[in-house]
Amino acid sequence: MIEPVPMVDLGVGTYLSERPSKRYPIYTRGNAGEVWPEVAYPLTISLSRGTGEDSFVDAVLNTGVLDDSDVAEGPTCFGGVFGGYMYINVSVNRVIAIRMPGVTIEQADATYLGSEGLAPPHRPDPDDKSLLASLRAIRYGWRMLNTTEIPQLATDQAIVAAWKARLPELLASDDEQLVATARALMDPTMELFSHHLEVTGKAGGAIQLLTKFCDEQLDDASLALTLLGGLGEVDSAAPSFALWTLGRMVNDDPNLVGHFESGVPGLQARLLADTTCQAFNDAFAEFLDQYGSRGPNEWESACDTWGTQPELALALIDRMRGADDAHDPSLRATSLAAERHAAIESARSELNRARRWMFDKTLAAATLFSRARERSKTTIVDLIHVGRLVARELAERTAARVEGGTIEDLWFVTADELDDYVADPNSFRDVVAERRAAREELARREPPFVFDGELPSPSTWPLRADAAAPDVLSAGDAITGIAGCPGVAEGRARVVTDPAEPGDLGPGDVLIAPLTDPAWTPLFVPVEAVVVDVGGQMSHAVIVSRELGRPCVVAATDATTRIPDGAMVRVDGKTGTVTLL
């Protein structure tokens, strides 16, 4: 029985905050901040809490690295919402690393979290090591290396396709049925999320093995970055290619250029009203049909995506259309594929038969599961979007029955309150107002990137507006982060904090971002390199940079505040350094 999500008085109002694990006390915003950058909403978390717990437990127990006794504390063993913000548990990932032969804590942190140097050191526990768990991990890893196909990916896509086909019928149903649908979606979401977590774990394991092999057998750990570049068939990079095509359509039509030059606000309405823009409008509609689930904070059903707010995507096209043909991602993909194949042949030529066999297996597994991870993520985000559209329909109906009501109001109630809210939304006006005020106050404050044991009171968190800026870099100074995609590039630093407002970012620039999700990655196309404050080796920025061939450094702590906007910088994606020129 899943306990209701706790609403706690945080000193800035009553809001979501779970109880940290005693066994696994260290938590980080690393990775979690990329997936869930904003303050979470009560409805989303309370609806999905059981889904998240069951999915994490199923995925981890299937590996054999942990057993029931290791996760007896419940959902916060793996992470949760603390002070309204999503966190991932560092400690449990480290225990998994300890039990995985050949894997170090440092490698586990670098792969998933991007919190090196910020998280406290691991505190050993007598139960950390388990010979039986390690033996099960070896068996699991061997099966991973021998996997050649993952038919579950197509099965999951079929599940989502069936739900999408039902959308017109679902959106026309009555309020009670909409509520029932929102709850019914949790079971398939749990199933898909469990598959995504399992594939993610295998992708991380395979990449760690490949990196270790390249380091020990080929004396070049960074070679793994090249071997995983330009893989093709990476779902999270696909929107960038599609947006590039739309940008070329704009450039080829002076009338479209005129509409875009008039500014993004109101752009879609102007395009739809102009019959000469029909070809572009049709192509853009097709884009939204395929990629409408993507966008900023896409895991949060309360937030807009490209499908619900198309001008978010039009803003990306506006920035991309200024790039010259040399930035065509298809051209770079062809070049990357050639570099990758050459690197593979060179590596194989240096190995004897036995080591070549192991190299081939490890590379094949890393390639298969890297693609599969992005496919499984896209699939579950598509299903979340079905839930988003169902919830928005319900939100619009209930908001219309409250004076001054907004569609956001729905997300301030919990799953247990949902039936009562739908029956009488006016009776929740005070509750909604109080929780909205608490969320706004939490959003004004900077949560700790890492906490150990107990979360400091949100009332003590620094206000974002008042936070003291770190020392700005001087010429010759450098920030060292995690190497994401090899290559060296120089350009003008453009600090962007919102993908919907990229300013004049364009060719010759280096994108400096606090974090990235699919809403950001089309901005990678026109620029020369990408630098991100946070992120691990499996972060979205790294995956897409490798597909687009952009030098990338992640976990470049405070880059957005230490690098002045407009400064000339050099990015070395192989060493993970960013130097102010």
Side-chain angles (χ1 to χ4, degrees):
M1 179 68 178
I2 303 299
E3 297 179 0
V5 63
M7 302 294 291
V8 179
D9 186 349
L10 300 174
V12 294
T14 299
Y15 211 73
L16 303 166
S17 194
E18 300 181 78
R19 183 177 296 108
S21 166
K22 298 295 185 184
R23 169 73 175 88
Y24 308 108
I26 303 173
Y27 292 81
T28 180
R29 287 279 291 153
N31 189 276
E34 177 183 277
V35 176
W36 223 297
E38 299 179 9
V39 182
Y41 285 85
L43 180 61
T44 303
I45 298 305
S46 57
L47 270 177
S48 62
R49 187 180 188 221
T51 297
E53 175 181 3
D54 292 343
S55 299
F56 272 110
V57 170
D58 286 351
V60 175
L61 294 188
N62 283 342
T63 69
V65 182
L66 301 180
D67 60 29
D68 289 327
S69 65
D70 293 312
V71 296
E73 281 184 289
T76 56
C77 290
F78 303 104
V81 176
F82 303 95
Y85 285 90
M86 187 68 71
Y87 282 81
I88 284 181
N89 193 293
V90 176
S91 301
V92 74
N93 278 286
R94 290 173 170 179
V95 171
I96 292 172
I98 289 169
R99 295 181 180 183
M100 293 286 287
V103 178
T104 66
I105 285 176
E106 292 74 22
Q107 289 172 335
D109 279 4
T111 300
Y112 298 107
L113 306 176
S115 58
E116 297 68 38
L118 296 176
H122 182 68
R123 294 194 294 275
D125 184 279
D127 292 329
D128 284 353
K129 296 182 179 180
S130 167
L131 178 59
L132 181 58
S134 295
L135 292 173
R136 289 195 296 256
I138 292 172
R139 181 182 62 184
Y140 185 78
W142 183 246
R143 289 175 177 171
M144 174 195 72
L145 287 175
N146 284 280
T147 301
T148 57
E149 58 182 358
I150 310 173
Q152 188 64 55
L153 296 174
T155 301
D156 290 349
Q157 284 182 309
I159 291 172
V160 176
W163 276 100
K164 290 174 72 173
R166 292 182 56 201
L167 257 176
E169 162 204 342
L170 295 173
L171 297 179
S173 60
D174 61 26
D175 292 356
E176 289 73 18
Q177 184 58 45
L178 286 173
V179 172
T181 299
R183 291 195 168 110
L185 277 164
M186 290 302 100
D187 284 341
T189 300
M190 186 202 79
E191 184 179 352
L192 267 60
F193 190 44
S194 182
H195 298 159
H196 170 61
L197 291 171
E198 184 172 354
V199 167
T200 296
K202 290 178 178 177
I207 291 172
Q208 288 171 355
L209 286 174
L210 180 63
T211 303
K212 185 179 179 67
F213 186 96
C214 290
D215 184 29
E216 296 180 352
Q217 305 299 328
L218 297 165
D219 298 320
D220 185 4
S222 68
L223 177 62
L225 302 178
T226 301
L227 297 175
L228 295 174
L231 294 179
E233 301 178 46
V234 174
D235 281 13
S236 51
S240 297
F241 289 79
L243 287 166
W244 173 268
T245 300
L246 290 168
R248 295 303 95 178
M249 288 183 69
V250 174
N251 281 359
D252 292 340
D253 185 335
N255 188 42
L256 286 170
V257 170
H259 281 302
F260 275 80
E261 292 290 345
S262 296
V264 172
L267 176 57
Q268 188 185 29
R270 296 195 301 272
L271 292 170
L272 291 174
D274 188 341
T275 56
T276 66
C277 300
Q278 191 60 49
F280 176 86
N281 289 333
D282 289 345
F284 187 58
E286 184 177 344
F287 169 85
L288 294 177
D289 182 62
Q290 186 168 3
Y291 302 113
S293 64
R294 310 316 298 255
N297 209 7
E298 62 193 11
W299 292 75
E300 170 58 77
S301 63
C303 293
D304 279 308
T305 61
W306 297 338
T308 60
Q309 191 175 340
E311 287 187 351
L312 294 172
L314 291 172
L316 299 174
I317 295 172
D318 187 45
R319 289 299 83 214
M320 198 175 291
R321 68 187 178 87
D324 58 39
D325 290 342
H327 286 78
D328 185 340
S330 297
L331 296 178
R332 186 58 180 144
T334 301
S335 174
L336 282 171
E339 292 173 14
R340 178 173 177 268
H341 288 305
I344 291 172
E345 291 308 310
S346 176
R348 295 183 84 249
S349 70
E350 297 181 30
L351 302 169
N352 61 32
R353 185 174 180 179
R355 290 175 178 173
R356 191 182 308 129
W357 176 83
M358 190 61 189
F359 171 77
D360 289 344
K361 270 196 171 301
T362 306
L363 176 59
T367 300
L368 175 69
F369 285 107
S370 292
R371 287 172 172 153
R373 177 181 184 252
E374 299 307 300
R375 173 64 49 83
S376 66
K377 182 194 297 183
T378 297
T379 303
I380 192 170
V381 166
D382 283 346
L383 187 59
I384 290 170
H385 192 54
V386 173
R388 174 182 292 108
L389 296 177
V390 168
R392 285 176 71 93
E393 175 64 27
L394 188 61
E396 288 173 359
R397 295 181 191 181
T398 50
R401 293 156 49 196
V402 178
E403 184 178 354
T406 71
I407 63 171
E408 185 190 38
D409 294 350
L410 177 79
W411 278 274
F412 285 108
V413 302
T414 65
D416 289 343
E417 298 166 339
L418 187 55
D419 293 292
D420 291 338
Y421 175 79
V422 172
D424 184 9
N426 277 286
S427 65
F428 281 80
R429 292 183 65 171
D430 290 344
V431 169
V432 168
E434 290 167 3
R435 293 174 183 173
R436 175 181 280 110
R439 183 178 187 274
E440 290 173 351
E441 183 60 29
L442 290 168
R444 294 175 61 224
R445 297 177 179 271
E446 184 69 44
F449 186 75
V450 173
F451 73 87
D452 184 355
E454 291 294 333
L455 180 76
S457 170
S459 63
T460 67
W461 299 353
L463 293 169
R464 295 179 190 272
D466 297 340
D471 293 337
V472 175
L473 295 183
S474 299
D477 290 344
I479 295 175
T480 300
I482 296 175
C485 181
V488 177
E490 294 182 2
R492 188 77 58 186
R494 291 302 179 199
V495 179
V496 179
T497 58
D498 184 345
E501 298 179 5
D504 60 356
L505 180 79
D509 293 340
V510 172
L511 172 63
I512 315 290
L515 54 90
T516 63
D517 56 27
W520 290 85
T521 46
L523 295 177
F524 292 14
V525 173
V527 302
E528 310 307 316
V530 177
V531 178
V532 187
D533 281 351
V534 299
Q537 291 171 337
M538 289 184 65
S539 66
H540 196 79
V542 170
I543 299 296
V544 178
S545 291
R546 289 175 186 166
E547 284 305 294
L548 299 178
R550 297 292 181 266
C552 175
V553 175
V554 295
T557 306
D558 295 326
T560 50
T561 51
R562 299 190 66 199
I563 298 175
D565 184 70
M568 288 296 295
V569 296
R570 177 187 297 119
V571 179
D572 188 330
K574 182 176 180 178
T575 63
T577 57
V578 185
T579 305
L580 190 78
L581 302 179

